[in-house]
Amino acid sequence: MIEITYLGHSAVFFKTDAVRLVVDPFLEGNPQAALSPSTLDVDVIVVTHGHSDHIGDTVPIAKRTGALVIAPFELAHYLEKKGCRVHPMHIGGRREFGWGKIKLTAALHGSAVIEENGQIVYTGNPCGVILTLEGKNLYHAGDTGLTYEMELIGRMHPIDVAFLPIGDNYTMGPADAAEAVRLLNPRCVVPIHYNTWEVIEQNPESFSNQVTGNTRVEILKPGGKLTI
Ligand code: NI
Ligand code: MN
């Protein structure tokens, strides 16, 4: 059994008997955050790209818990310098970790850290991630525009639950995300990366109304859970 908790924005927490894993734990400063970073206990953190709303509280959580941080190579190098224990990967690569498998996928976006002094640190290509836990494939798209890659992802790794951004402006909006669902053909889709700020305000119903086919749409409020 996999217990999934939506923590707000792009942060999603997964719990099985073997692992507690979070993707993109942006909690401090996230107006939608479902909990405080000081109370999130995890074994693994996956970070999709270098933007602050995705790295979020990775460094303090990793330092406090000793969690392994999995990220694209350049971003992993940056996070290692900040004191994290890391495992670098990159687009197209898959690895068995014992508690499950991770594969990084392409995302159509950018990736850089903007330091407090304004210096921009390039953190490689942005990614999505396919988590395989207990034989189920969970796809977190990270931040991305609509891309045909999604058809390949769904064909090669039939997706049980997809987490897709619908906020528009920086990523897919509702119509493009509904098209992504047609390409991916997941059993279930959860919209993410919306309503955190005015610029990505969306009614999730406008996404679910455009989803066609057999995919179930699960709209989770921050703190909302889904068990598969
Ligand atoms: Ni981003
Ligand atoms: Mn983002």
Side-chain angles (χ1 to χ4, degrees), residues 162 164-167 172-182 186-192 194-195 202-220:
L164 301 182
I166 65 157
M172 299 188 281
D176 284 13
E179 186 60 32
V181 171
R182 284 184 279 279
R187 281 173 183 271
C188 173
V189 63
V190 178
I192 61 172
Y194 67 98
N195 285 357
Q202 294 295 338
N203 180 352
E205 305 285 341
S206 79
F207 165 68
S208 56
N209 290 341
Q210 294 181 75
V211 171
T212 55
N214 297 321
T215 300
R216 190 174 93 245
V217 181
E218 283 278 352
I219 296 169
L220 297 179

Side-chain angles (χ1 to χ4, degrees), residues 15-89:
K15 186 170 179 287
T16 70
D17 287 342
V19 76
R20 297 164 301 171
L21 181 153
V22 70
V23 179
D24 290 351
F26 169 51
L27 303 170
E28 195 69 52
N30 172 0
Q32 282 208 315
L35 50 77
S36 150
S38 62
T39 60
L40 182 62
D41 289 327
V42 288
D43 308 299
V44 180
I45 303 171
V46 179
V47 189
T48 60
H49 65 290
H51 291 159
S52 58
D53 57 321
H54 297 260
I55 291 181
D57 306 294
T58 294
V59 174
I61 294 170
K63 284 183 173 170
R64 178 175 54 79
T65 61
L68 179 68
V69 178
I70 299 172
F73 181 87
E74 296 83 354
L75 178 55
H77 179 75
Y78 171 84
L79 292 169
E80 186 172 42
K81 283 203 296 189
K82 297 287 175 189
C84 300
R85 184 169 65 94
V86 302
H87 180 92
M89 293 184 68

Side-chain angles (χ1 to χ4, degrees), residues 9 48-54 109-111 126 142-144 170-171 193:
H9 200 59
T48 60
H49 65 290
H51 291 159
S52 58
D53 57 321
H54 297 260
H109 194 64
S111 184
D143 279 358
T144 186
Y170 300 114
T171 67
H193 207 273

Side-chain angles (χ1 to χ4, degrees), residues 90-174:
H90 231 307
I91 295 169
R94 195 180 200 202
R95 184 176 169 89
E96 168 66 70
F97 284 92
W99 41 260
K101 295 191 185 88
I102 297 274
K103 184 176 185 178
L104 295 187
T105 67
L108 219 52
H109 194 64
S111 184
V113 174
I114 300 169
E115 298 279 28
E116 274 162 25
N117 64 7
Q119 189 199 348
I120 292 178
V121 180
Y122 174 64
T123 47
N125 283 85
C127 290
V129 59
I130 302 167
L131 311 171
T132 305
L133 302 174
E134 298 189 345
K136 299 231 166 50
N137 291 323
L138 308 145
Y139 170 56
H140 186 298
D143 279 358
T144 186
L146 177 62
T147 150
Y148 260 122
E149 301 284 336
M150 291 167 181
E151 188 175 301
L152 270 178
I153 290 169
R155 193 192 307 164
M156 295 192 65
H157 308 284
I159 302 296
D160 291 283
V161 187
F163 301 85
L164 301 182
I166 65 157
D168 222 338
N169 192 80
Y170 300 114
T171 67
M172 299 188 281

